[in-house]
Amino acid sequence: MDNPNAVTTSPSGSTPAEAKAFLDAHPDIEAFDIVLTDANGIGRGKIVRRHELMSIFEGGRHMPISILGLDITGEDVHETGLIWDSGDGDLRAWPIPGTLVPLYGTQPPRGQVLMAMYHLDGQPMSSDPRLALARQVDILAAKGLHPAGAFELEFFLLANERDADGKVQAARAVLDGRRSAKTEVYSVDHLHGMEPLFSDIYAAAKAQGIPAETVISEYAPGQYELTLNYRKDVMRAADDLVMLKRLVRAQARRHGVTACFMAKPIETYAGSGMHFHVSLQDDAGRNVFTEAAGEKWSLSLLNALGGLIHTMAESMLVFAPHANSWRRFVAQSYAPVAPTWGVNNRSVALRVPAGDARNRRIEHRPSGVDANPYLVAATVLAGIIKGLDEGLDPGTETTGNGYEQATEASTMPADWRAAIEAARHSDFLKAALGPDLHRTFVAIKQAEYLRVARTVSELDYHLYLHEV
């Protein structure tokens, strides 16, 4: 039986008018993916029929609370407190405004809408990652500040079959079947081999209102990067990334290849990052990171950098959440290894891009593409808020090779286990995510760590079977 205090007006701000207009504009769509993003950044949900959509916009959709307490494989993590402690009861998911979109190339035609989880009385469910980001946005709004931003998406296109040694390998070009085994960074001709796939990715992005822009061939065979246009609404910027990953994966499957979002899928090449560009606008729309005449840097920019540097070590579990994430942090691999900042320098963790001062922003570089963009953005904004509130100093700007100058590397967690412990004991991260999501996230990561730690791998046999 429904809670008598259950709300009938969407707490997310969605309206039935949005659904009606969409259905009228798309009479051919027969079904919809309704997608809730969990702590791991995985989309969980259902496929519903066309006639069910209006009722979801009118009254939400019941979903079990346990959907936010699952590990990377979809197994329950009881330590989250979201399973039997609450009887695995239903909460109510509501549509996120602006995310009701068609799915390009589906047969029969389908649509998609992202969802957020609320209690039956309309209060935000505190273990929902998107709502943690919304809380940080609200804190900034109360200060007269509004975050803008965009994510970059790096990923691999891999063959569905492994090589003779059982390793993953770059996909053959979908145009002519050619396979490259060398780094072709920034090669335009190399991109032409994937032109049919990228054409479909752009078409799918256009259909969903995602501002996908430049594509480049990145720093490893089969590695690519897609950039997204800057959003004044950082919530929508995170939605863009979630939706873009889903459509890239779907279009890759249709072209017979695998889109891989592991941070480090190939041991001999650089991994894939998810760089987050962020700035702050005041109520008048002025970028507060822009330096005034005669200033080298604005105090707000320096304090924001200071907050991110002071909180980076205890936040690394958000930026590198999986065992594979930590294989990406190797010197000279374009992945940062210390809490450093610099201008126009890709060897640091926090890069201030050169260019027009009116567009001054911070490029936050530690996150792997396997991280949850909602958690990354929430944690970054919380670090910026701390820096502004406490007037934190970022220290000396790093120039030249930041890998050689990373004297503060010892303050960073050395590995995944250390990152879990740092996150567990972090008052900052508990405040940034909220106590419930902090408990949920750390418990899920601890369960994943134990699964990995007790697994006997092929490498174990290779190193030790006949030697010890």
Side-chain angles (χ1 to χ4, degrees):
M1 181 179 235
D2 271 355
N3 185 323
N5 297 320
V7 297
T8 55
T9 301
S10 172
S12 72
S14 60
T15 65
E18 180 183 359
K20 184 178 187 308
F22 185 90
L23 291 171
D24 289 345
H26 300 277
D28 57 330
I29 289 183
E30 298 184 11
F32 294 86
D33 297 0
I34 61 172
V35 183
L36 182 75
T37 302
D38 71 6
N40 282 306
I42 295 173
R44 311 278 184 189
K46 307 176 180 182
I47 298 177
V48 301
R49 306 303 296 169
R50 178 184 177 90
H51 69 269
E52 298 178 82
L53 185 70
M54 280 302 301
S55 66
I56 292 172
F57 275 78
E58 291 168 345
R61 183 71 177 235
H62 282 162
M63 286 190 180
I65 191 173
S66 59
I67 202 170
L68 293 174
L70 304 177
D71 70 8
I72 194 73
T73 69
E75 296 283 348
D76 291 339
V77 178
H78 297 279
E79 292 80 5
T80 62
L82 298 179
I83 316 299
W84 299 122
D85 291 17
S86 59
D88 195 15
D90 280 341
L91 298 184
R92 188 166 293 178
W94 290 87
I96 296 169
T99 65
L100 178 58
V101 293
L103 291 176
Y104 178 82
T106 51
Q107 289 297 330
R110 293 203 325 277
Q112 171 186 281
V113 63
L114 302 186
M115 310 286 284
M117 189 79 92
Y118 294 82
H119 292 282
L120 299 181
D121 63 1
Q123 292 301 305
M125 199 286 166
S126 50
S127 286
D128 185 310
R130 191 178 190 275
L131 299 181
L133 173 55
R135 191 164 60 84
Q136 295 302 323
V137 171
D138 289 343
I139 291 172
L140 280 167
K143 299 174 182 291
L145 296 171
H146 311 280
F151 289 89
E152 296 175 5
L153 181 68
E154 295 179 357
F155 60 97
F156 281 80
L157 293 175
L158 301 177
N160 293 335
E161 68 281 357
R162 305 287 181 91
D163 67 15
D165 297 320
K167 302 285 190 179
V168 298
Q169 56 184 334
R172 294 184 183 277
V174 298
L175 186 64
D176 57 12
R178 173 183 168 229
R179 174 178 287 134
S180 174
K182 60 182 183 294
T183 297
E184 301 196 57
V185 64
Y186 282 88
S187 169
V188 177
D189 290 343
H190 178 63
L191 292 175
H192 291 168
M194 290 296 180
E195 184 177 16
L197 170 54
F198 280 108
S199 292
D200 281 346
I201 287 172
Y202 280 125
K206 181 179 180 180
Q208 296 187 15
I210 299 172
E213 294 194 328
T214 306
V215 60
I216 65 172
S217 178
E218 260 290 355
Y219 216 76
Q223 189 184 34
Y224 301 87
E225 177 185 280
L226 271 169
T227 62
L228 289 160
N229 195 17
Y230 218 65
R231 292 277 199 183
K232 290 184 178 180
D233 179 357
V234 79
M235 299 287 293
R236 190 56 206 262
D239 293 337
D240 285 342
L241 199 284
V242 168
M243 295 166 72
L244 184 61
K245 285 180 72 172
R246 286 181 57 78
L247 75 83
V248 167
R249 181 179 281 117
Q251 296 306 319
R253 286 185 73 180
R254 290 191 174 89
H255 283 271
V257 299
T258 296
C260 174
F261 300 110
M262 290 172 63
K264 181 78 167 178
I266 301 175
E267 61 197 45
T268 52
Y269 291 101
S272 294
M274 187 180 70
H275 303 160
F276 177 41
H277 294 252
V278 61
S279 60
L280 295 179
Q281 320 295 317
D282 63 18
D283 286 336
R286 186 184 69 89
N287 183 352
V288 302
F289 288 169
T290 298
E291 58 271 17
E295 280 187 319
K296 184 175 182 181
W297 304 112
S298 81
L299 183 60
S300 293
L301 175 67
L302 293 174
N303 290 159
L305 289 166
L308 294 173
I309 284 172
H310 280 77
T311 58
M312 190 174 296
E314 56 199 302
S315 303
M316 281 304 299
L317 186 63
V318 170
F319 309 144
H322 307 291
N324 180 259
S325 309
W326 291 84
R327 307 195 198 287
R328 175 172 160 261
F329 296 107
V330 179
Q332 316 297 338
S333 66
Y334 290 93
V337 294
T340 53
W341 76 279
V343 181
N344 198 23
N345 187 334
R346 287 182 170 84
S347 67
V348 296
L350 304 171
R351 173 177 173 256
V352 179
D356 190 334
R358 292 172 297 180
N359 299 325
R360 191 70 69 216
R361 65 191 188 275
I362 296 169
E363 181 187 4
H364 184 273
R365 297 173 58 81
S367 298
V369 73
D370 56 345
N372 183 327
Y374 296 126
L375 297 188
V376 169
T379 304
V380 167
L381 293 186
I384 288 173
I385 292 168
K386 181 179 176 67
L388 296 176
D389 287 350
E390 299 179 17
L392 297 178
D393 185 345
T396 304
E397 173 191 344
T398 297
T399 59
N401 189 337
Y403 296 117
E404 294 179 351
Q405 303 171 44
T407 57
E408 295 181 82
S410 61
T411 68
M412 299 286 278
D415 53 28
W416 190 32
R417 181 179 181 182
I420 293 172
E421 290 307 307
R424 188 194 311 279
H425 299 293
S426 170
D427 291 334
F428 163 76
L429 199 59
K430 186 178 293 185
L433 304 182
D436 293 337
L437 181 53
H438 176 265
R439 181 192 66 245
T440 297
F441 182 64
V442 172
I444 288 170
K445 295 297 100 183
Q446 178 67 18
E448 187 180 341
Y449 168 79
L450 292 174
R451 179 188 285 254
V452 172
R454 67 174 173 257
T455 298
V456 181
S457 69
E458 282 299 319
L459 181 60
D460 287 277
Y461 296 126
H462 175 71
L463 293 177
Y464 309 121
L465 179 61
H466 299 294
E467 309 300 332
V468 296

